[in-house]
Amino acid sequence: MLQISNLHAEVDGKQILKGLDLAVNAGEVHAIMGPNGAGKSTLAYVLAGRPGYEVTDGTLNFLNFDLAELAPHERAANGLFLGFQYPVEIPGVSNLQFLREALNAQRRGRGEEPLSGAEFLKLARAQAASLGLDPEMLKRPVNVGFSGGEKKRAEMVQMGIIDPKLAILDETDSGLDIDALKAVGAGINTIMRRPDKAVLLITHYQRLLDYVQPDFVHVLAGGRIVRSGGAELAHELEREGYGAIAA
Amino acid sequence: MTVALALPSARDEAWRWSDLSALPAFADAEPRGGVVDVHDLWIGCGGPRLLFVDGRFEPALSDIRPLAIGPVAAASAHPLGSLVTGDGWTLELAIDHAPVGTIEILHVGTGGSSHLPARIALGEGAQASIVETYAGEGWANRLTRIDLAPHARLMRAIRLVQHSGFVSTRDEAEIATGASLVTTILGAGGADSRIDAQLESAGPGAFVEFGGALLARGQQRHEAAVAVRHAAPGGSSRQLWRAVADDRATVSLAARVEVARDAQQTDGEQSLRGLLLKRAATVNLKPELEIFADDVKCAHGATVGELDRQALFYLESRGLLPAQARALLTRAFVADALDRIGEERAREVFADAAAQWLDASPLPTGEGGPRRETVGG
């Protein structure tokens, strides 16, 4: 589904990713762990196409598309979803309005019929309820006045509505209490644990991995994957720290 | 109609951002006249409706009920307001008036210039709601004199959708004890404008609100110069403006609050915000406070910026096209200025007019687009 080869990327002229290789197949959950400053968020933003994050070498292939050729909205329409570490607050734009426009823009991009207001509302309410987010909150402006946990739940509601093929979840566990962590973990499993989907979980800690069992764990340090393994690698990291493993 | 024009110059501080250079040509020109199709311009609020074509009342297409057409008791020393003479419309209501419904006034121009006075006088406790629309072309120049007796309430909403030309309005108002005047303006056409008002909060506890959203593109210029004077204690005023400038357009807002020595416990609020959709566009903001009383609360804020790049990327990462993301954020930017319109049907029509204006904005592709500017380096 996703093949990253020899990825070099820079932000504001500073080289952050230095020859990263990674392959993610359909049906797999990959966790990317690493110390602060290793380039985890940079990888997420490069994959989603954030302006200012520039690929200087290597290739990014997603479902046989060259990602570098696609604008952020085209990546989304082709099934790529980025869960933000810090979801952006947008005063004056309601979640419902935003998500309906987003979903229908994607559907049009794929040549599908847009959903009616009633169809969309039903879908949005069901997704919110399954993630323990009060559906009334969807009427409120995007992320405005949401607690850290509510923002992350709202990100998962967005993911559920948009129903992507590949979810890149950037520190989705940060700022979550234990209940929210369980809800978000269950949401990821329900929405994304499918044979035709894949997840790239970017996380600093092992704790989300108690709820979302990864098939592969990679250690990102110094802009490259320095070690890969199974779920047990996360426990090893938790025990011994990044210093020992990444060295 | 030809008038002798003595226009203020840009050397005058109150007119420093104005460009009135097109007005003499309008003053010399004759309207094209002919048939005008106004069907789509009525909002349909169900109340009385007045149609003026090139400043002339059209009785056949109007439903005048409590309003009157004829000489108007209004005179102004204002440079543009003083040009307004002749017949116009008058609304006088006492508290025991029969229910009127929202009054719609439609001004359609076919070129040239028109000068139309108006007077609104609400007796003690009387209420009225008026929605005005400016459409067509040419120069529409208006003077409106407003007198609100104690506890009277007037809601006004003004929609500028002329496709070209110039609209100048001058409001002069006196608001008595406990009375309330709320005026909301939307500039969403292709004409230039000068919105000018002098509003006096004359009695204790009066409430004055004057603001709106002005959207400009191309070489267009919108300008608002509004002064609220608090002469009596315990009054409140609110000036909330949102300016959007695209291309090489200019929007200028001068909002002034004066608090006289006796006007203790005045509560004044100014919120002036500008949004630049292109780097070559201009927004001028001038919030002014002149306070002689010592126990007042006057908050003011003035900011100009571009669309939030993080917000744009967030929306695009969810699949919105760049143009959709920009339109959504711009709509959100102006929304709170239009939320003040009390009449629901008018509020919807105004919001639609703003959305249509934004949807007509072409997708930025050049170096001017904020998204491109962050790439590379």
Side-chain angles (χ1 to χ4, degrees), chain A:
Chain A
M1 183 176 280
L2 177 70
Q3 272 90 35
I4 304 173
S5 305
N6 190 33
L7 176 63
H8 288 70
E10 59 181 42
V11 185
D12 297 331
K14 191 174 172 227
Q15 197 77 34
I16 306 289
L17 299 180
K18 302 165 184 168
L20 187 146
D21 296 296
L22 181 68
V24 178
N25 297 310
E28 295 175 353
V29 173
H30 290 242
I32 301 221
M33 305 182 72
N36 286 326
K40 300 193 299 294
S41 286
T42 299
L43 173 62
Y45 284 138
V46 165
L47 289 171
R50 181 172 179 156
Y53 287 70
E54 206 172 2
V55 176
T56 51
D57 200 5
T59 57
L60 284 173
N61 192 292
F62 171 60
L63 294 170
N64 296 324
F65 290 101
D66 178 2
L67 271 187
E69 296 290 311
L70 300 182
H73 69 279
E74 295 166 328
R75 301 181 194 206
N78 283 309
L80 190 144
F81 178 91
L82 171 62
F84 282 63
Q85 182 177 6
Y86 302 108
V88 181
E89 296 185 8
I90 308 181
V93 177
S94 84
N95 281 285
L96 286 173
Q97 182 188 18
F98 153 50
L99 285 169
R100 188 174 165 210
E101 278 198 41
L103 179 61
N104 282 338
Q106 292 201 18
R107 291 177 70 95
R108 273 191 294 272
R110 295 191 293 260
E112 300 166 16
E113 283 292 303
L115 288 190
S116 74
E119 288 168 324
F120 174 76
L121 208 57
K122 198 173 152 197
L123 172 65
R125 287 214 175 108
Q127 289 296 338
S130 77
L131 282 145
L133 188 80
D134 180 356
E136 283 299 302
M137 289 186 77
L138 295 175
K139 294 180 184 164
R140 296 191 3 205
V142 178
N143 292 319
V144 176
F146 284 25
S147 70
E150 284 165 345
K151 283 181 184 171
K152 296 301 171 71
R153 283 182 207 237
E155 290 283 283
M156 295 303 102
V157 172
Q158 292 183 16
M159 184 171 79
I161 289 170
I162 287 170
D163 197 23
K165 297 193 178 82
L166 172 66
I168 301 149
L169 304 176
D170 187 10
E171 308 261 355
T172 290
D173 48 348
S174 69
L176 293 187
D177 61 30
I178 194 74
D179 291 337
L181 193 65
K182 277 185 191 167
V184 164
I188 296 169
N189 289 328
T190 310
I191 300 163
M192 298 303 297
R193 259 291 181 198
R194 304 271 168 89
D196 58 337
K197 292 174 182 277
V199 178
L200 200 55
L201 268 181
I202 293 173
T203 179
H204 199 68
Y205 302 105
Q206 133 80 24
R207 55 182 203 155
L208 179 62
L209 305 182
D210 290 340
Y211 303 99
V212 183
Q213 188 74 20
D215 302 302
F216 301 93
V217 174
H218 311 274
V219 180
L220 177 58
R224 289 159 57 181
I225 303 283
V226 294
R227 206 173 143 189
S228 298
E232 74 290 344
L233 179 56
H235 295 284
E236 194 183 331
L237 282 166
E238 195 79 359
R239 265 197 324 273
E240 300 180 16
Y242 289 113
I245 305 274

